[in-house]
Every structure is written in C-alpha cells, then in structure tokens.
Amino acid sequence: MQTELSKTLGVEHAVFGFTPFPAVAAAISRAGGFGVLGAVRYTAPDDLKRDLDWIEAHVDGKPYGLDVVIPAKKVEGVSEADVEAMIPEGHRQFVRDTLAKYGVPELAEGEASGWRITGWMEQVARTQLDVAFDYPIRLLANALGSPPADVVARAHDQDVLVAALAGSARHAVKHRDAGIDVVVAQGYEAGGHTGEIATMVLTPEVVEAVAPLPVLAAGGIGSGQQAAAALALGAQGVWLGSLWLTATEADLSSPAVTRKLLAAGSGDTVRSRALTGKPARQLRTEWTDAWDDPAGPGTLPMPLQGLLVAEALTRIQKHEVEPLLGTPVGQIVGRMHSERSVQAVFDDLTRGFEQAVDRINRIAGRSGT
C-alpha cells in the first residue's frame, strides 16, 4: 500500500494513524504505518517529553509524527483566567443542574480536572513544539488550520513535513498557499471537528484543488477496501483516528466507554458543539442531547465551551456515568466490533486492500497480482 508520500517518509503502508495514546502511535509505526501522536492534552512539557521518550524507545527506529492544535492568528495578552471570566453564569448553572439530574459526584477536594482544552492557546502549543523539535519527528500536523508561518519555516528547517486538516477545497487551497506540504481532507463522517462535506465528495475536490501536493483522505475509513477507494480518488494515503480507540494498546481510562464504542452503530454518533464549541462528531449521549436541546442555553464558542465543561467531563468519566459518558468518534464506529491489536487491524487493512485491488483488476479485465 505504497505511494509517493509513503516512500518519502519511509513507511511500508500509506496509513497514517492519529491517536492520543503513545503505545498506539508506536505500534502503528512498527506495523508499517505512520503513527501520529495527538498533543492537545499535554499541558505540561515534561509530560510530552516523557511520552516522546517512550515512543523513541518502542518505535524500532520507524518514523512518526505529532499533531498539535495551534491557531494561525496570535491573540496577545489573553490568559486562561481571562477566558474563564467570559463564561456566563447561566451556562455554569446549566452544567450544575445537568450533573445533579444524573447524580454525578463531585471531585475530591483539591482534585483538578483531568481534561481541559488549552492546547488551542498558542503559548501551550508552542511549548509542545519546543519539546517536539528535539525529537526526530518526520511530520507535524495541525488540526486548526495552517500553523503560523514561523512554525512552518521552523519545521522545514528541520526537514519536517507539515500537514493541515481541511474540510473543504477552499480551506485546502489556503493551506497550499501557506506552504503546507500535505493536506488531510477530512470528511463529515470523521470523529472530532469536521466540516459539512462527505469524504467521497471532498477527497477528489481537494486533490484537484491542490495538485500536485499530496492529499490524505480522512473520515469514515476503517477498511482496506475504503483505503483502496481513497487512493482511487487521488489520495496518497489515509488518515485514520477513530479505528484505534478500541485497539488493545489504547489506554482508554473507562471500560464503559470501550463497551459503548463496541456496541455503537454508525448512526450512533452526532455532530455536536457540546465538547469544544465547534462541531465535533462524537458518541450521541444524554449529555450531547442536553446541549443540543433548543430549551437549553446552547453551547458557547470555542474555547469557552471546552473550559466550561472540562470539570464536568472529568467527573462523568471518573465515575463512569454511562448515560452522559461519550467520546469523539467517527461514523466508522459501526465497524468497531471487538478489541484488536494494532497489528491485527493492519493485517485486516492490508488484506482488504489487496482484495479490493484484485476485484478492480478483474473488472478491468486484468489478472490480479
């Protein structure tokens, strides 16, 4: 499953695996793909350094990358406390009332929230980059548009390719003009923040708009047959995220979340602003329903929503309050029926890819190879 991009990066299969779990990222690279560690949860530089050290020790010399969330435009003189002060009291009360309705216990005295959307703040993302550029990462991806020009230049100076996610051809062209090396065309089906256009439509539009830049297809891809379809549409690889959530190497802290993922069908996700303030596909829960209910106060814009719900989500996750418990995940969740190792997932992907290629060869009157 090789393309020009995979050969450039020195990987066997053009499968790029985004994950917040170091063990999964390393396993993806060892299996012949390209592991990409999500950095948004690392607010302390030492924590990121610890996990990159671990990847270095367990990747068997294979290449890997990092995904950050850094805005293209800088906002001066705004602290997290300044942003917190913008949250209306009515929204805080709505959170308290919703948690009380489901009997969600408080955190222990002195216990801090374990989840906060702070990676969006430029100073946090830049500390992540200061750490990451001390490691031999081969690709830097940004989930929030094109990185600032100086970050792109710094990456290129260190022979690091820069990728950016795009939900439309218009966004992809902006990435190209900003000097981005790889565009990830992320369709509506994907987990996390997504646009309005489905992967089957988006991928060829982006390929045509930014040619000859390489494009990775993302969103709703979880089989080798789908990977073959993405390459047939002009992509030079696939970007997979949701599929790894039920890998045996994944460190999901909640067994209940794993159970919900394995039981979910492709129609059990919703694109909601409840998590961060931007539309993000996730498991549909009574928590997302509460925020999407017209009778409620509605969500706040990013980053206010993420800061507002941070402690609530920590409480829900810690106490596994199942009606409210969810996670970002794409529509491909309907194919995630069992926990499997990363290697087993790759075996399935490559087998399905070969079957799809053979099928097309037969249709075209060619013998399979």
Side-chain angles (χ1 to χ4, degrees):
M1 206 187 301
Q2 285 201 336
T3 65
E4 184 178 346
L5 178 61
S6 67
K7 292 176 183 176
T8 296
L9 290 169
V11 296
E12 183 180 358
H13 303 299
V15 174
F16 293 72
F18 164 80
T19 175
F21 307 119
V24 175
I28 290 168
S29 291
R30 289 198 308 271
F34 189 94
V36 181
L37 179 67
V40 71
R41 68 190 178 98
Y42 292 98
T43 55
D46 286 347
D47 291 343
L48 179 58
K49 182 179 186 304
R50 176 202 64 215
D51 283 355
L52 288 176
D53 282 340
W54 191 94
I55 289 176
E56 273 290 298
H58 292 84
V59 81
D60 293 349
K62 302 292 181 65
Y64 62 93
L66 192 75
D67 179 279
V68 298
V69 179
I70 182 170
K73 296 181 180 179
K74 188 171 185 176
V75 179
E76 298 280 3
V78 178
S79 68
E80 187 176 328
D82 294 331
V83 178
E84 287 265 17
M86 300 177 191
I87 298 173
E89 177 56 30
H91 283 73
R92 294 187 186 277
Q93 187 61 49
F94 179 75
V95 171
R96 290 192 289 267
D97 291 345
T98 304
L99 296 177
K101 176 182 177 182
Y102 290 90
V104 182
E106 298 276 354
L107 294 178
E109 185 176 351
E111 184 178 1
S113 167
W115 182 93
R116 296 179 73 79
I117 292 293
T118 53
W120 62 272
M121 299 178 71
E122 182 170 359
Q123 62 266 35
V124 175
R126 285 187 179 275
T127 61
Q128 295 167 349
L129 294 175
D130 288 341
V131 172
F133 282 131
D134 285 336
Y135 291 82
I137 62 171
R138 294 297 313 281
L139 180 136
L140 174 70
N142 189 32
L144 201 63
S146 303
D150 70 294
V151 173
V152 176
R154 184 179 179 187
H156 288 167
D157 286 345
Q158 295 192 210
D159 198 28
V160 175
L161 297 182
V162 181
L165 277 65
S168 71
R170 177 173 57 85
H171 292 154
V173 169
K174 288 184 177 180
H175 294 336
R176 179 200 64 193
D177 294 346
I180 300 303
D181 305 293
V182 180
V183 175
V184 181
Q186 186 183 40
Y188 174 82
E189 306 94 324
H193 296 128
T194 68
E196 303 280 352
I197 305 171
T199 303
M200 181 68 89
V201 175
L202 179 66
T203 301
E205 285 186 355
V206 171
V207 168
E208 182 177 352
V210 302
L213 281 188
V215 172
L216 300 176
I221 300 172
S223 72
Q225 291 87 346
Q226 291 169 313
L231 269 57
L233 293 172
Q236 286 202 31
V238 291
W239 178 276
L240 310 182
S242 298
L243 193 63
W244 315 111
L245 290 174
T246 53
T248 54
E249 294 91 343
D251 187 24
L252 275 179
S253 57
S254 169
V257 170
T258 300
R259 289 196 301 270
K260 293 184 81 168
L261 287 170
L262 296 176
S266 56
D268 292 327
T269 68
V270 63
R271 194 165 162 269
S272 171
R273 297 177 184 268
L275 186 63
T276 67
K278 285 183 176 289
R281 187 169 297 285
Q282 55 204 281
L283 283 178
R284 181 176 180 177
T285 66
E286 293 184 34
W287 176 258
T288 62
D289 285 349
W291 282 105
D292 295 338
D293 188 339
T299 55
L300 296 170
M302 189 178 191
L304 299 182
Q305 182 71 16
L307 292 172
L308 169 65
V309 303
E311 180 182 321
L313 294 179
T314 298
R315 290 166 59 184
I316 291 166
Q317 292 165 2
K318 177 180 178 180
H319 298 287
E320 295 198 314
V321 183
E322 293 209 26
L324 305 179
L325 192 61
T327 185
V329 70
Q331 291 179 333
I332 198 63
V333 70
R335 292 184 61 95
M336 294 156 53
H337 303 306
S338 63
E339 295 182 76
R340 299 182 294 165
S341 69
V342 167
Q343 184 61 62
V345 173
F346 262 87
D347 291 344
D348 187 56
L349 287 170
T350 53
R351 183 166 48 248
F353 181 83
E354 291 170 355
Q355 291 170 351
V357 172
D358 287 345
R359 185 182 304 117
I360 294 301
N361 280 331
R362 289 195 300 271
I363 292 171
R366 305 183 184 96
S367 59
T369 57

